[in-house]
């Protein structure tokens, strides 16, 4: 072997060693991410071999046998789609038809704002994607602003605005002692926030508490927002699913529209159509006029382009077919009411079972709250005991997903809660 060949081989080995050393340091600083508190509940539940185990942690609807549900209106929409439509890209703004029908649900079938083309709206990756897109829009065009978020709220709200680099403040919402709304403190926070602040509001079925303002309270909130020049951003994940009536569940938004606010709305079809895995939703921003709406929509699309380019097609087709067909829409309204009524019925059953057991505590908040979740008032330690002693799984803040409660397990759940809390 020549001297040149030997040196060349050494050089290659040295280069390889250096490259390997550099590559081995690229991700050394990466630590495992903390487990998602909700998804972690499901993992623990699945790993538990107990035949008595109950999962009331995850916010996905189940029937009275504890099984996932696909609505018949969805099945029919899919039958119509199968083999009849192409799989081309949607525009950056998504399905025009789906967005049109979605706006009618939120703003009203005969909304003047829709007729005047004052709403900038795009299809989003469900409600989470709508919130994130708005957070990025807020950061880009109001870079010095912050967002006021209720205490408590859906945990991912904090992640969304944090990752969009929008500073967060909080405002009072839940009153632990009454397990209801802390309305006086909420109003004080609205009044004391700097003029022109952004506020995140749950349109209905507040997650995780299930506590909503009354209609009169919403009117007072709207009035104070107007006086302070605040911008309301509504996250509406449960329209129709809360009360069984989409019009009733949109009442908070309609009050703000009556009072001539400019607003933003995140909408989702995960809960009310059971399209959890399809990730179909809508972000809308009500603007001063059509010209402003065109400009805002163009910027929302510009933000979406490097994120995901185009939204998914299949879920948008399902929604647009259901909502644009009078018979299918009628069927959907019937089916969403069945889901809501089952949840409401399980609230009544859980409360009645607890009261029959002679619980010394008041459980009326179970039926006063609304939507998928019951904020039980149990402590993290009590939740841990429920899991350890009774194999009942929920998030440690005491949030019960009523979707996981059935006629078959409600007695067992009530007895377990009674045993854990009777000496509290």
């Amino acid at each position: 072997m020549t001297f040149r060949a030997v040196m060349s081989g050494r050089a290659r080995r040295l280069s390889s060693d250096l490259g390997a050393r550099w590559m081995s340091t690229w991700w050394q600083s990466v630590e495992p991410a903390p487990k998602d508190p909700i998804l972690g509940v499901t993992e623990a539940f699945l790993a538990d071999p107990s035949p008595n185990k109950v999962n009331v942690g995850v916010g996905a609807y189940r029937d009275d046998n504890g099984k996932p549900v696909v609505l018949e209106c969805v099945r029919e929409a899919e039958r119509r789609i199968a083999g009849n439509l192409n799989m081309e890209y949607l525009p950056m703004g998504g399905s025009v038809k789906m967005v049109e029908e979605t706006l009618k649900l939120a703003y009203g079938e005969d909304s003047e704002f829709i007729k005047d083309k004052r709403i900038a709206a795009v299809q989003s990756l469900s409600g989470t994607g709508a919130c994130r897109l708005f957070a990025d829009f807020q950061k880009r065009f109001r870079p010095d602003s912050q967002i006021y978020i209720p205490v408590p709220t859906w945990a991912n709200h904090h992640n969304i605005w944090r990752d969009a680099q929008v500073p967060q403040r909080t405002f009072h919402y839940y009153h632990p002692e009454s397990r209801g709304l802390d309305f006086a403190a909420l109003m004080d926070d609205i009044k004391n926030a700097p003029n022109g602040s952004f506020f995140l509001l749950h349109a209905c079925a507040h997650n995780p508490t299930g506590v909503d303002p009354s209609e009169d309270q919403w009117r007072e909130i709207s009035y104070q927002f107007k006086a302070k020049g605040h911008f309301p951003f509504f996250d509406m994940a449960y329209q129709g699913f809360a009360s069984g009536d989409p019009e009733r569940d949109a009442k908070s938004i309609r009050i703000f529209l009556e009072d001539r606010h400019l607003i933003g709305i995140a909408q989702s079809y995960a809960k009310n159509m059971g399209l959890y895995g399809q990730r179909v939703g809508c972000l809308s921003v009500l603007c001063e006029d059509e010209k402003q709406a065109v400009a805002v929509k163009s910027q929302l699309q510009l933000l979406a382009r490097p994120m995901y380019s185009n939204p998914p097609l299949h879920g948008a087709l399902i929604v647009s077919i259901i909502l644009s067909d009078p018979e299918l829409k009628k069927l959907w309204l019937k089916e969403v009411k069945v889901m809501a009524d089952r949840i409401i019925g399980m609230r009544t059953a859980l409360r009645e079972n607890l009261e029959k057991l002679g619980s010394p505590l008041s459980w009326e908040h179970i039926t006063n709250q609304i939507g998928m979740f019951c904020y039980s008032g149990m402590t993290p330690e009590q939740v841990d005991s429920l899991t350890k002693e009774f194999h009942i799984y929920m998030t440690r803040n005491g949030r019960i997903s009523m979707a996981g409660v059935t006629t078959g397990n409600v007695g067992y759940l009530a007895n377990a809660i009674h045993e854990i809390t009777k000496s509290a």
Side-chain angles (χ1 to χ4, degrees):
M1 183 179 292
T2 67
F3 177 76
R4 179 176 293 179
V6 170
M7 294 305 294
S8 176
R10 288 179 178 174
R12 282 196 299 270
R13 285 195 298 275
L14 179 61
S15 176
S16 176
D17 290 344
L18 286 171
R21 196 174 304 133
W22 275 109
M23 286 187 285
S24 70
T25 63
W26 283 350
W27 311 120
Q28 280 185 346
S29 63
V30 178
E31 298 289 339
K35 285 190 175 183
D36 183 278
I38 298 174
L39 301 183
V41 170
T42 300
E43 289 178 9
F45 170 78
L46 292 173
D48 187 341
S50 171
N52 298 320
K53 64 182 180 180
V54 176
N55 186 0
V56 285
V58 178
Y61 183 76
R62 299 290 183 263
D63 65 16
D64 200 44
N65 296 312
K67 303 297 183 183
V69 173
V70 178
L71 302 185
E72 184 52 41
C73 62
V74 171
R75 291 292 193 208
E76 175 57 28
E78 288 196 309
R79 282 191 281 270
R80 297 183 190 184
I81 293 167
N84 294 315
L85 297 165
N86 63 48
M87 297 296 163
E88 291 292 307
Y89 287 123
L90 284 172
M92 280 190 291
S95 164
V96 173
K97 187 65 177 173
M98 190 281 290
V99 170
E100 286 177 352
E101 295 298 332
T102 301
L103 293 182
K104 291 177 189 176
L105 279 181
Y107 293 84
E109 190 77 26
D110 300 313
S111 169
E112 63 179 285
F113 307 113
I114 295 175
K115 292 175 183 176
D116 293 341
K117 300 180 179 180
R118 287 179 52 190
I119 306 171
V122 296
Q123 182 183 333
S124 64
L125 305 184
S126 203
T128 302
C131 287
R132 178 57 195 264
L133 199 56
F134 181 81
D136 280 340
F137 179 74
Q138 178 186 347
K139 180 63 178 178
R140 179 166 293 186
F141 292 98
R142 298 299 295 267
D144 297 327
S145 68
Q146 53 195 1
I147 184 82
Y148 279 81
I149 294 178
V151 178
T153 192
W154 179 48
N156 215 22
H157 282 145
H158 293 291
N159 300 332
I160 289 165
W161 269 269
R162 179 200 66 215
D163 282 6
Q165 299 180 19
V166 176
Q168 298 176 40
R169 301 289 297 274
T170 58
F171 66 94
H172 287 86
Y173 189 86
Y174 180 71
H175 190 262
E177 286 72 29
S178 68
R179 294 171 189 170
L181 184 68
D182 194 347
F183 185 65
L186 181 154
M187 291 298 288
D188 283 343
D189 287 345
I190 293 171
K191 293 173 185 175
N192 293 329
N195 291 349
S197 294
F198 286 80
F199 275 75
L200 171 67
L201 302 172
H202 296 232
C204 62
H206 180 275
N207 179 3
T209 69
V211 174
D212 288 348
S214 67
E215 184 174 328
D216 286 342
Q217 288 172 330
W218 274 122
R219 293 191 184 281
E220 290 189 55
I221 293 168
S222 174
Y223 176 85
Q224 196 58 49
F225 265 60
K226 198 75 173 178
K228 294 287 293 185
H230 295 328
F231 186 92
F233 181 75
F234 288 94
D235 188 356
M236 185 159 60
Y238 297 94
Q239 186 180 11
F241 192 94
S243 69
D245 179 0
E247 288 295 299
R248 178 180 171 184
D249 292 346
K251 189 62 181 179
S252 59
I253 288 172
R254 304 293 171 78
I255 288 169
F256 274 72
L257 294 176
E258 288 169 16
D259 290 344
R260 317 308 288 182
H261 291 272
L262 299 181
I263 67 173
I265 308 176
Q267 291 172 261
S268 165
Y269 290 102
K271 306 296 192 297
N272 59 13
M273 282 192 187
L275 299 177
Y276 301 97
Q278 297 296 341
R279 312 311 295 147
V280 56
C282 180
L283 169 64
S284 61
V285 180
L286 177 60
C287 302
E288 293 279 2
D289 51 37
E290 181 181 356
K291 181 180 178 182
Q292 188 180 88
V294 169
V296 169
K297 182 178 178 180
S298 72
Q299 292 292 345
L300 293 176
Q301 292 180 152
L302 195 65
L303 284 164
R305 176 64 170 155
M307 276 192 201
Y308 53 83
S309 193
N310 315 78
L313 173 65
H314 190 72
L317 288 173
I318 292 172
V319 172
S320 58
I321 288 171
I322 291 171
L323 295 183
S324 62
D325 182 293
E327 289 304 312
L328 276 186
K329 185 175 181 181
K330 183 178 178 181
L331 177 58
W332 170 63
L333 291 170
K334 178 182 177 182
E335 290 185 290
V336 76
K337 189 173 189 309
V338 167
M339 290 192 291
D341 285 350
R342 194 188 88 73
I343 296 293
I344 292 168
M346 286 299 98
R347 287 183 176 277
T348 301
L350 180 59
R351 176 181 171 182
E352 287 179 349
N353 272 270
L354 281 162
E355 290 172 347
K356 286 176 184 176
L357 289 166
S359 174
L361 305 175
S362 170
W363 296 101
E364 65 179 20
H365 60 282
I366 295 176
T367 50
N368 289 341
Q369 296 169 7
I370 192 170
M372 183 169 282
F373 302 111
C374 167
Y375 216 49
S376 67
M378 287 186 288
T379 66
E381 293 74 24
Q382 289 172 329
V383 171
D384 291 343
S385 296
L386 273 180
T387 302
K388 183 178 180 180
E389 298 176 32
F390 296 94
H391 306 275
I392 293 171
Y393 292 83
M394 67 180 75
T395 51
R396 295 187 77 239
N397 60 4
R399 187 193 78 168
I400 298 172
S401 174
M402 296 304 301
V405 184
T406 68
T407 53
N409 66 28
V410 65
Y412 178 74
L413 176 64
N415 181 70
I417 293 173
H418 175 62
E419 290 298 319
I420 294 299
T421 61
K422 65 183 179 181
S423 59

